[in-house]
């Protein structure tokens, strides 16, 4: 095989991979569907006990003091969200992205943090009794696997 044939093959494979990535990224998926009325309720009242917010985009949301007890926040994007003094007890944050989130004095007791990203998050004075950690990225970048 000459170099031109290899280059053409590589370009074709690269195009196929990019196309597949775009299709997967843009395809609607029920797996990350959340209840829009729950999101509206949370943003208006900061009270959303047992809400379904799976996959919700809450980047930079001001949820200081919010009540999210038992909420489903699986795979939610919570980048730079203000959750200071928020109550998330018993919530599901599996696979959630909490990069640089402010969780100071929050309640994460009994929360599922499997696969969650807490890189650079402020977790000072956070209650974490019975919190589940498995493949969880901690604020310092370490991976915590206590409950795997």
């Amino acid at each position: 095989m000459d170099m031109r044939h290899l280059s053409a093959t590589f370009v074709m494979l690269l195009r196929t991979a990019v196309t597949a990535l775009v299709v997967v990224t843009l395809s609607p998926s029920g797996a990350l569907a959340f209840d829009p009325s729950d999101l509206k309720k949370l943003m208006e009242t900061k009270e959303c006990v047992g809400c379904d917010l799976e996959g919700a985009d809450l980047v930079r949301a001001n949820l200081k003091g919010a009540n999210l007890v038992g909420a489903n926040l699986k795979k939610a994007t919570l980048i730079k969200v203000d959750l200071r003094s928020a109550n998330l007890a018993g919530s599901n944050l599996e696979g959630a992205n909490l990069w640089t989130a402010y969780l100071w004095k929050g309640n994460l007791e009994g929360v599922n943090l499997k696969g969650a990203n807490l890189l650079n998050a402020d977790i000072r004075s956070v209650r974490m009794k019975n919190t589940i950690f498995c493949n969880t990225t901690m604020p310092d970048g370490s991976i915590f696997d206590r409950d795997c």
Side-chain angles (χ1 to χ4, degrees):
M1 246 186 218
D2 66 10
M3 289 301 288
R4 282 179 284 171
H5 183 67
L6 283 174
S7 294
T9 302
F10 176 75
V11 168
M12 182 181 72
L13 288 172
L14 185 60
R15 284 183 184 156
T16 302
V18 169
T19 301
L21 180 62
V22 168
V23 168
V24 168
T25 303
L26 297 179
S27 294
S29 170
L32 294 180
F34 58 88
D35 186 337
S37 64
D38 281 348
L39 181 60
K40 183 178 182 207
K41 176 181 176 182
L42 174 63
M43 299 312 289
E44 290 176 356
T45 67
K46 294 186 183 180
E47 180 84 21
C48 210
V49 174
C51 285
D52 181 8
L53 298 166
E54 183 173 347
D57 182 351
L58 294 163
V59 175
R60 296 184 186 268
N62 178 2
L63 300 175
K64 184 177 179 181
N67 185 0
L68 287 157
V69 171
N72 179 15
L73 290 154
K74 184 177 183 178
K75 296 185 181 179
T77 305
L78 299 153
I79 296 172
K80 295 188 176 185
V81 69
D82 186 349
L83 286 162
R84 289 176 288 169
S85 301
N87 188 357
L88 290 110
S91 294
N92 183 5
L93 286 161
E94 184 176 349
N97 189 352
L98 294 129
W99 179 72
T100 65
Y102 303 103
L103 298 159
W104 185 65
K105 289 192 174 182
N107 183 359
L108 296 178
E109 292 182 4
V111 169
N112 178 359
L113 287 172
K114 288 181 182 176
N117 177 15
L118 294 167
L119 187 63
N120 294 323
D122 182 350
I123 60 170
R124 291 175 295 152
S125 301
V126 172
R127 292 184 304 242
M128 291 191 181
K129 183 177 180 182
N130 298 317
T131 299
I132 300 167
F133 295 97
C134 178
N135 196 31
T136 305
T137 304
M138 300 305 287
D140 64 358
S142 65
I143 304 296
F144 197 22
D145 285 328
R146 179 186 71 197
D147 303 307
C148 291

